Amino acid sequence: MDSYNAPESTPSASSRPEDYFIGATPLQKRLESVRKQSSFIPTPPRRKIPQCSQLQEDVDPQKVAFLLHKQWTLYSLTPLYKFSYSNLKEYSRHLNAFIVAEKQKGLAVEVGEDFNIKVIFSTLLGMKGTQRDPEAFLVQGLILSPRLEYSGTILVDCNLCLLGSSDPSTLAFQVAGTTGACHHTRILSKSQLPSENREDKVLWTGWFCCIFGDSLLETVSEDFTCLPLFLANGAESNTAIIGTWFQKTFDCYFSPLAINAFNLSWMAAMWTACKMDHYVATTEFLWSVPCSPQSLDISFAIHPEDAKALWDSVHKTPGEVTQEEVDLFMDCLYSHFHRHFKIHLSATRLVRVSTSVASAHTDGKIKILCHKYLIGVLAYLTELAIFQIE
Amino acid sequence: MSVLRPLDKLPGLNTATILLVGTEDALLQQLADSMLKEDCASELKVHLAKSLPLPSSVNRPRIDLIVFVVNLHSKYSLQNTEESLRHVDASFFLGKVCFLATGAGRESHCSIHRHTVVKLAHTYQSPLLYCDLEAGLQWCNHGSLQTRAPGLK
């Protein structure tokens, strides 16, 4: 999150090799200042208010509509090694096999209802900030509902397969029809029909994206694909299984992204600054007061137009948000609350921020409500993810 | 008249007085208790205050070191510290003031960025120490009024 300007010490003479640090990432700048033993006092960051114009180019609002109004858990992901967008079908099959194997692990012979989980990889077009950003892709786990006439036969065949094989990881490939009796292939060809008779319930969704990830893209080599932000919706156990597969296949690392109170207040300011035609939700803040025996929660709800009016009175530079403006905005809210209730909200911890654009919780949960500012919200989250990776 | 001056009073014989300024009483008390447990060559007195200026009615010895405790989890403690700094005489900052930042370990609870405190210590040319008063006290030698190293970790 520290997109700082150059350090206060004057730039070095042009003959030294440190010159290439001029365009360096924040981490490199910090390391450089440690080496020079100068004191690195960064100037406070300025960020752009999310503009709604960035999304319009090639994204159909219908296609990304399923991303809105869902609670996503955030993870940061290190770059993926040797990932290629053309092998998505193969990755689907491998992941399918892995999930089936994981679910069967340690279980006695049993026909589980998860046996017909299907995993689909697909790319999400247009979810990028600049042309350099890699394409976002989506992983969905669906439960296939088989047609009723065949369900009995499927069960019996699967049972036979289980007893016969000793290696669980090849199990799914056997069922997939490479070997086996002829009735196997018949069932599978039926299930590949277009899905008018079938309702696939989406069990789990996860998507990887990178918005304005220039600072990370510069530092990694060609073999790596940088998609630092991962959002997951669905059961935690499924997230863990799929995460393990990615970690094994692409040598990457997931870690949960927590949002601290400092970043939440930035989000509150940036999202209040967004111009909206109509407001769908009130602007609400939630603070947690650590007191014994149990913590107290303070919730402060503001009419969104009042919040916007307050922001407009604080805001000076058009198109940009500075640290002072964020602090002033939050201080106004704190002093207003103090005047009425004599409680210092600044001594408590901001836990949740929710506006008409999006809502975020400190545990790393986010819900995006407005498709116009989707890219803007994701850009800030990508920044946080990149900061965590570094 | 409410400004704290370093050379107001005569020094006590073989005594040192430390003033801890911070908003959280429990933390200050904990810090003071463990300071007093340490072995010290001279006699040590610890005063606790929520904020400056100190009430002038109390008769107190000369303050040798002021430690401003800033809790990174609450902006209120930072604002309190900034308010209190106004009541300290400029000559105190020649090595008799120290900043202590607590709570940096739990990054998810921080509402003040670390760099804000670093900048504060840099502006006042005083050392900044990070510690975690919740996990267990890490106390450095109270007699070290010598070097000024900005941004110690």
Side-chain angles (χ1 to χ4, degrees), chain A residues 1-2 4 39 41-42 258-262 327 330-331 334 344 346-349 362, chain B residues 24 73-77 79 107-116 118-119 122 150:
Chain A
M1 62 156 273
D2 304 324
Y4 292 121
S39 64
I41 304 295
I259 310 175
N260 65 22
F262 180 73
D327 286 340
M330 296 306 288
D331 283 341
Y334 291 155
H344 286 282
S346 46
T348 61
R349 181 167 74 106
T362 190
Chain B
E24 267 121 60
H73 298 177
S74 97
K75 276 171 98 165
Y76 179 58
S77 75
Q79 284 167 351
E107 183 64 36
S108 58
H109 286 230
C110 284
S111 40
I112 308 173
H113 200 262
R114 253 185 330 117
H115 286 300
T116 314
V118 168
K119 197 168 159 192
H122 183 79

Side-chain angles (χ1 to χ4, degrees), chain A residues 248-264:
Chain A
K248 276 205 263 191
T249 321
F250 299 114
D251 196 25
C252 58
Y253 183 68
F254 284 86
S255 61
L257 185 66
I259 310 175
N260 65 22
F262 180 73
N263 293 323
L264 281 176

Side-chain angles (χ1 to χ4, degrees), chain B residues 27 60 89 97 103 123 132 142:
Chain B
L27 294 183
R60 73 177 66 79
D89 185 48
V97 169
T123 316
D132 203 337
H142 73 279

Side-chain angles (χ1 to χ4, degrees), chain B residues 51-140:
Chain B
S51 66
L52 298 175
L54 299 173
S56 47
S57 52
V58 180
N59 189 15
R60 73 177 66 79
R62 185 175 88 159
I63 308 275
D64 294 309
L65 178 68
I66 306 181
V67 180
F68 288 99
V69 181
V70 178
N71 187 0
L72 289 180
H73 298 177
S74 97
K75 276 171 98 165
Y76 179 58
S77 75
L78 182 68
Q79 284 167 351
N80 185 46
T81 305
E82 280 167 358
E83 285 289 323
S84 309
L85 278 165
R86 289 194 204 126
H87 297 276
V88 179
D89 185 48
S91 48
F92 241 114
F93 292 102
L94 298 172
K96 294 195 177 188
V97 169
C98 173
F99 290 95
L100 197 66
T102 73
R106 291 175 83 180
E107 183 64 36
S108 58
H109 286 230
C110 284
S111 40
I112 308 173
H113 200 262
R114 253 185 330 117
H115 286 300
T116 314
V117 194
V118 168
K119 197 168 159 192
L120 183 70
H122 183 79
T123 316
Y124 286 97
Q125 297 284 321
S126 297
L128 171 66
L129 300 166
Y130 291 93
C131 84
D132 203 337
L133 288 173
E134 283 147 44
L137 288 181
Q138 297 146 34
W139 170 237
C140 68

